[in-house]
Amino acid sequence: MKDVVFKTALKTLLAVIIALLLAFGIASLGFPSQMADICENTGNYSLAVSYSSLAYAYSGDVEDLGRCAEDSILAKNDKKTVKYCEKLIGHKDFEEFCAEKSGVIIVGGIELNLDYKTFITENLQAAQSRLNKK
């Protein structure tokens, strides 16, 4: 009797694990932007880069490419920062995107003036410099 209960519990646990892995796989491939949101909210920017790059591959939108660059910068991954910042700077809609993203932002109750183009180019140069030193 105990054998039957144990085997049934084991099969049920295995079925639940397989269902969770399948759901995770579907969410990863089907909803990369939302998965990137989850990763960003938990502070896992290196995984967020992967999801946002998948979203960019699907859409080709400059917003998704900008997100790749920003997540790479936050993840402190110099190789990906160089890769995505260079792609972003070379994108046909880069200037328009910078105009949309630039402006006054509030950080900790303090108003700061953000120039998005400077933010991207300076982080690109810093990442290139660090890579050249290695």
Side-chain angles (χ1 to χ4, degrees):
M1 183 69 151
K2 288 183 182 179
D3 257 1
V4 173
V5 171
F6 179 72
K7 286 181 181 179
T8 304
L10 195 57
K11 288 178 184 177
T12 303
L13 179 62
L14 185 61
V16 168
I17 290 171
I18 290 171
L20 287 173
L21 289 173
L22 187 61
F24 181 76
I26 290 170
S28 293
L29 294 175
F31 307 100
S33 291
Q34 290 78 6
M35 293 298 288
D37 287 339
I38 292 168
C39 292
E40 289 168 350
N41 290 335
T42 58
N44 190 348
Y45 295 105
S46 56
L47 189 55
V49 172
S50 300
Y51 284 122
S52 57
S53 68
L54 184 59
Y56 173 66
Y58 288 167
S59 70
D61 290 340
V62 69
E63 291 85 8
D64 290 329
L65 185 55
R67 188 176 192 178
C68 291
E70 293 165 21
D71 288 340
S72 297
I73 292 165
L74 292 170
K76 298 178 182 175
N77 185 326
D78 291 332
K79 287 182 181 179
K80 288 186 179 181
T81 298
V82 169
K83 176 183 175 180
Y84 291 117
C85 286
E86 284 178 346
K87 272 188 175 180
L88 181 60
I89 290 170
H91 197 281
K92 62 181 176 64
D93 297 328
F94 177 63
E95 294 296 329
E96 182 181 322
F97 183 64
C98 287
E100 290 174 12
K101 294 283 280 188
S102 296
V104 176
I105 60 169
I106 299 174
V107 178
I110 300 170
E111 289 187 6
L112 300 172
N113 192 15
L114 173 69
D115 181 9
Y116 190 77
K117 185 175 184 177
T118 302
F119 170 72
I120 293 296
T121 54
E122 286 181 357
N123 277 288
L124 171 61
Q125 291 168 352
Q128 287 171 329
S129 174
R130 286 189 296 269
L131 285 175
N132 289 334
K133 287 182 182 179
K134 291 182 181 180

